[in-house]
Amino acid sequence: MRIAISGAGVAGTALAYWLHRTGHTPTVIEKAEAFRSGGYIVDFWGVGYTVAQRMGLESQILDRGYQIESVRSVASDGHVVATLDTNVFRRLIGDEFTSIPRGDLAATVYAGIAEDVEMIYGDSITGITDGGDSVRLTFTHAGPREFDLVIGADGLHSNVRRLVFGPDTDFEHYLGCKVAAAVVDGYRPRDELAYVTYAVPGQQVSRVALRDDRTLTLFVFRDASPEISDPGAQLHDRFADAGWECPQLLTAIEGLDGSTGEGLYFDVVSQVRMQRWSRGRVLLIGDAAGCISLLGGEGTGLAIAEAYVLAGELRRAGGDHRRAFETYEARLRPLIETKQSNAQQLLGFFATRTRFGLYFRNLAIRAMNLRMLTNLFAGAVRDDFDLPDYGI
């Protein structure tokens, strides 16, 4: 089938890979002018890691990734008040775990299809008309085209979801936080292979050293309003007097406007909850259908797993998209809903409300190093999902 995919992120590129591998003709539409690598770091494990192994990408992902050794919570003067050895996670899930910039993960997948799949950059879908036997798409720049299926893999603020299912407000559930991330050059100090975090009530800032003398910085803060306006001013208001390295981190990100992959990322922390992920010949995957939020930490892995399952179910259904879409959703919805529930519980870690809460959080970080307590956190990181083997 001819299948249009909106979005060249992790979900879109992974789906294009599996659709091409199973005999379909995918076309990826991306509003950015070029493929974006880099971005904020995500932890990669679980069912998504297993799928990446089936794609033969494990070594490339590990080469691009970082084997973070510790998470350090620091006080305003910089001294460490709590440390978590990341071997805690490896005791739970094994060695199949790494941390990698989100865009670099997508780029690794994209490298496997770059010569085989049509990519349309700098354009967006403006209209979707499902005629029953095919779907007609109109674009901002290109002329109309016909496809057999349309897949929205275009993230939290999905354009396809808006066009087919309705406005964002019907499906996005704001969790009361906002997030900003940026990669800066030459920042000092550096702590290699460590995730360094500093928190005051209601907000947290973190940094992690990257290759080529770059540093990723991540800001998370509570905000009652989901409105986004003047990100620089919002960050300054919240963090300028927060202590630790906040003033110099704010100085380091000044002037980043988000127009490139290394620019300022600023967004709400939200989840997407929908009664159905498909309508007719249109289906949503990844964050577009069931965003668990940045707090869940596993969205990229889930996106890769979803791409594999969707392609596999289309193959099993012999091209019967209705049956494939129904089976796909039935398999994945329980997993996504569990991950969304777990992510909500982690809100207190990223933006603890009170000073007592911060004290308790640091105590919990230290306690997690104890082997006898490790299994208490197993449910939050292990994937309770039987990944099918589609023989592809």
Side-chain angles (χ1 to χ4, degrees):
M1 292 185 286
R2 300 161 299 162
I3 303 178
I5 302 169
S6 178
V10 174
T13 53
L15 181 58
Y17 171 92
W18 286 110
L19 290 176
H20 177 263
R21 183 160 167 171
T22 51
H24 301 289
T25 304
T27 296
V28 181
I29 302 108
E30 169 57 46
K31 66 181 180 179
E33 296 296 330
F35 192 89
R36 292 185 176 186
S37 59
Y40 61 86
I41 281 187
V42 297
D43 295 322
F44 187 53
W45 78 91
V47 290
Y49 197 107
T50 301
V51 173
Q53 289 175 319
R54 294 182 184 182
M55 299 167 77
L57 298 178
E58 182 178 23
S59 61
Q60 296 98 303
I61 290 172
L62 291 176
D63 286 345
R64 289 193 174 206
Y66 297 83
Q67 300 307 105
I68 301 297
E69 296 173 351
S70 66
V71 177
R72 302 174 190 167
S73 177
V74 300
S76 58
D77 62 0
H79 82 270
V80 178
V81 294
T83 299
L84 173 64
D85 186 337
T86 56
N87 283 324
V88 166
F89 298 107
R90 293 184 173 87
R91 288 201 295 268
L92 289 173
I93 60 178
D95 291 329
E96 297 171 345
F97 173 88
T98 192
S99 300
I100 183 172
R102 185 186 185 105
D104 288 1
L105 180 57
T108 303
V109 177
Y110 171 68
I113 60 170
E115 302 299 322
D116 302 310
V117 172
E118 179 186 17
M119 305 287 293
I120 300 174
Y121 292 106
D123 212 343
S124 296
I125 299 170
T126 57
I128 301 175
T129 304
D130 189 337
D133 295 327
S134 65
V135 185
R136 184 177 188 268
L137 300 185
T138 56
F139 301 89
T140 303
H141 302 296
R145 291 179 60 174
E146 299 278 338
F147 293 91
D148 296 300
L149 301 176
V150 176
I151 310 298
D154 41 1
L156 172 63
H157 308 296
S158 169
N159 180 45
V160 171
R161 188 183 65 231
R162 192 162 47 249
L163 290 169
V164 176
F165 296 87
D168 292 348
T169 52
D170 289 352
F171 309 107
E172 287 188 24
H173 295 261
Y174 180 55
L175 298 186
C177 277
K178 293 176 181 173
V179 59
V183 175
V184 297
D185 295 322
Y187 184 83
R188 294 293 183 275
R190 287 173 63 85
D191 293 84
E192 302 294 339
L193 299 181
Y195 191 88
V196 183
T197 180
Y198 168 74
V200 295
Q203 55 203 63
Q204 175 177 291
V205 61
S206 309
R207 60 170 168 79
V208 59
L210 306 179
R211 299 182 185 92
D212 303 320
D213 201 21
R214 298 174 301 147
T215 295
L216 171 74
T217 181
L218 180 72
F219 300 83
V220 179
F221 62 95
R222 290 185 183 267
D223 193 334
S225 171
E227 297 298 320
I228 294 179
S229 61
D230 198 346
Q234 288 194 44
L235 290 175
H236 188 273
D237 289 345
R238 296 302 182 107
F239 291 93
D241 299 320
W244 188 53
E245 299 171 12
C246 290
Q248 68 196 71
L249 286 168
L250 290 172
T251 298
I253 67 172
E254 283 181 359
L256 299 178
D257 61 3
S259 61
T260 69
E262 300 297 308
L264 178 67
Y265 168 87
F266 190 93
D267 206 350
V268 294
V269 176
S270 296
Q271 293 182 338
V272 172
R273 303 171 200 157
M274 305 181 69
Q275 291 186 343
R276 285 188 62 84
W277 295 344
S278 66
R279 179 171 292 173
R281 290 179 171 269
V282 180
L283 173 79
L284 304 175
I285 74 167
D287 285 352
C291 178
I292 65 172
S293 85
L294 174 126
L295 307 182
E298 199 182 353
T300 51
L302 293 174
I304 288 180
E306 290 169 27
Y308 171 75
V309 172
L310 177 56
E313 292 302 332
L314 283 169
R315 186 170 186 261
R316 279 187 177 177
D320 181 346
H321 70 277
R322 293 179 181 85
R323 181 155 64 95
F325 287 179
E326 288 176 2
T327 306
Y328 165 82
E329 184 167 343
R331 283 191 184 278
L332 284 161
R333 183 176 284 277
L335 174 64
I336 299 303
E337 290 179 348
T338 297
K339 294 297 181 180
Q340 287 183 327
S341 177
N342 291 340
Q344 291 182 66
Q345 296 174 32
L346 289 171
L347 181 59
F349 176 86
F350 286 93
T352 311
R353 290 186 182 277
T354 66
R355 292 195 178 279
F356 175 76
L358 289 172
Y359 168 81
F360 183 80
R361 188 195 74 155
N362 289 332
L363 186 65
I365 289 173
R366 293 193 291 268
M368 284 176 67
N369 291 291
L370 301 176
R371 185 178 294 272
M372 64 181 180
L373 296 178
T374 296
N375 287 336
L376 294 177
F377 305 95
V381 295
R382 288 177 179 162
D383 292 334
D384 184 15
F385 183 72
D386 184 14
L387 185 68
D389 185 350
Y390 295 104
I392 56 179

